[in-house]
Amino acid sequence: MVDSKIKIGVLSLQGDFIEHLDVLETLSIESLKVKTISDLNKVDGLIIPGGESTTIKKLIDRYGFEEPIKEKISHGMSVWGTCAGLICIAEKLSDPYPIPMNLIDAEISRNWFGRQVDSFETDLTFKGIKNKIKGIFIRAPIVKKISPNVEILSSLKDGTIVAIKQNKIMGTSFHPELSGTTAVHDYFIRLTKNEN
Ligand code: GLN
């Protein structure tokens, strides 16, 4: 049975939106590809997927999504940015581009692991999720700085912050939509329903 109480949109301008939609389908959550403002107006929660943050932000600007997203947040919409999505929702970047939307009080650094390893996998503990989850990092950003009102949900063993939340806005450096787990999507759904 489809959970008809909430609808989750996945911003489908660029990046791995299909993988997010697949996980939502597995969880029997009603979902929607968000390609227009009218799509955005139908959703209770919005996922901004991984991909290329400069391209995603360029398209957000071209289609005028930023103000409507902020307006919807002020009426209770939740937002989850994964990887490039996390870059787009940051308050500030350590890099010159793109200009982020300032939805969460955090500074993000792009392509953090670039010089050492482009991509890797590691087991992570995640606050509010019982079992360890697999973190898949692909040219991933990290959380450099947060304000005190931002909660850390997950860090690497060396203390590098890789998942955060502030009210109903969350961000992950890694890609739960690629790891075969539904736990982080389930967490986001609880956040959307104010159950966390
Ligand atoms: N490196 C990409 C960027 O900076 C993000 C990579 C990803 O989303 N997997 O936009």
Side-chain angles (χ1 to χ4, degrees):
M1 255 217 351
V2 171
D3 185 336
S4 57
K5 285 193 284 287
I6 57 155
K7 197 181 274 191
I8 302 290
V10 185
L11 193 66
S12 302
L13 303 175
Q14 193 266 339
D16 73 334
F17 50 89
I18 298 287
E19 288 77 359
H20 278 289
L21 291 160
D22 287 348
V23 181
L24 294 168
E25 194 182 336
T26 306
L27 287 170
S28 299
I29 294 294
E30 206 182 331
S31 64
L32 181 72
K33 276 186 197 160
V34 172
K35 288 176 179 266
T36 64
I37 307 296
S38 122
D39 298 331
L40 178 72
N41 285 332
K42 298 187 183 112
V43 305
D44 305 292
L46 178 71
I47 297 175
I48 305 180
E52 179 51 47
S53 58
T54 48
T55 306
I56 294 176
K57 185 57 189 357
K58 206 178 281 171
L59 294 169
I60 286 174
D61 292 342
R62 184 177 302 166
Y63 298 117
F65 271 108
E66 184 164 338
E67 283 316 309
I69 287 174
K70 288 179 174 166
E71 175 69 19
K72 289 272 296 181
I73 290 170
S74 72
H75 290 100
M77 182 178 76
S78 60
V79 176
W80 172 20
T82 54
C83 204
L86 169 63
I87 295 166
C88 291
I89 69 172
E91 179 192 358
K92 207 172 148 188
L93 300 183
S94 321
D95 316 77
Y97 297 107
I99 307 296
M101 289 190 281
N102 190 11
L103 307 183
I104 189 163
D105 296 339
E107 180 176 334
I108 308 296
S109 243
R110 294 176 64 194
N111 301 320
W112 181 256
F113 305 98
R115 263 157 281 155
Q116 307 147 42
V117 268
D118 256 353
S119 305
F120 63 96
E121 288 182 21
T122 188
D123 285 343
L124 296 168
T125 53
F126 194 104
K127 201 172 167 187
I129 297 177
K130 216 166 120 209
N131 297 319
K132 281 203 169 185
I133 55 164
K134 185 161 73 171
I136 299 184
F137 294 79
I138 305 170
R139 297 185 62 235
I142 59 145
V143 181
K144 254 303 204 26
K145 270 189 220 154
I146 49 170
S147 22
N149 43 357
V150 175
E151 200 179 330
I152 299 171
L153 299 177
S154 188
S155 304
L156 299 177
K157 283 191 193 79
D158 67 1
T160 303
I161 303 169
V162 293
I164 50 173
K165 160 172 112 69
Q166 181 179 12
N167 302 321
K168 292 179 80 172
I169 312 296
M170 72 181 245
T172 55
S173 303
F174 52 97
H175 290 270
E177 74 284 7
L178 301 179
S179 61
T181 172
T182 53
V184 187
H185 288 75
D186 190 55
Y187 180 92
F188 180 62
I189 286 149
R190 283 186 272 130
L191 186 70
T192 304
K193 292 178 170 173
N194 299 310
E195 288 174 2
N196 273 351

